[in-house]
Amino acid sequence: MAKFIIDANLPYLFSLWKGDQFVHVFDIDDSMSDNEIWEFAKNNGLTIISKDADFSIKVLFNDPPPRVVHLKTGNMKMKDLHNFLSRNWNEIVNVSTTHKLTNVFLDRIEGID
């Protein structure tokens, strides 16, 4: 069963996000609005992974689910983003299981309740 939903603004073909734990918005409906993604994640107990600040703002005013992982890494080459996420993925997951918002920066990962 999926634990994470990957937003449309993130790469579809990341090997990191393959497997039963992940579902990409493109696998459901690539025309989903942010509200539809939110509701899908909420109804299925998923954590949203996105670069979209709208999810971060919304989660601050709601209780999980869903939880949100907000990637605040700026523009990066796909290979660099993949390498960065691969190196930090375990910590990102650990923080996201105990906080409703996980902000991922290049120099730190922070959890917000």
Side-chain angles (χ1 to χ4, degrees):
M1 175 175 192
K3 293 183 181 179
F4 301 94
I5 183 167
I6 312 301
D7 195 6
N9 61 13
L10 291 169
Y12 180 74
L13 297 175
F14 259 20
S15 60
L16 179 65
W17 293 330
K18 294 298 176 198
D20 294 340
Q21 291 187 349
F22 305 93
V23 62
H24 199 286
V25 168
F26 289 143
D27 292 326
I28 303 163
D29 179 354
D30 62 354
S31 66
M32 290 175 80
S33 68
D34 285 354
N35 284 337
E36 290 170 324
I37 293 169
W38 181 271
E39 287 303 314
F40 184 88
K42 181 178 180 178
N43 293 335
N44 291 282
L46 303 176
T47 297
I48 299 168
I49 302 174
S50 181
K51 285 188 160 192
D52 188 344
D54 292 345
F55 292 119
S56 292
I57 295 166
K58 190 168 186 167
V59 78
L60 293 175
F61 297 100
N62 292 278
D63 290 325
R67 296 179 187 277
V68 174
V69 173
H70 186 180
L71 302 179
K72 297 182 169 193
T73 56
N75 292 330
M76 298 176 76
K77 292 181 181 178
M78 294 289 254
K79 181 179 179 180
D80 294 337
L81 178 61
H82 186 274
N83 289 338
F84 170 79
L85 290 173
S86 294
R87 280 190 317 272
N88 294 286
W89 186 247
N90 287 338
E91 184 178 354
I92 293 167
V93 170
N94 287 339
V95 173
S96 73
T97 59
T98 57
H99 296 83
K100 65 181 179 180
L101 173 60
T102 303
N103 287 319
V104 179
F105 300 93
L106 290 176
D107 63 342
R108 69 190 184 285
I109 298 166
E110 64 181 22
I112 299 172
D113 289 324

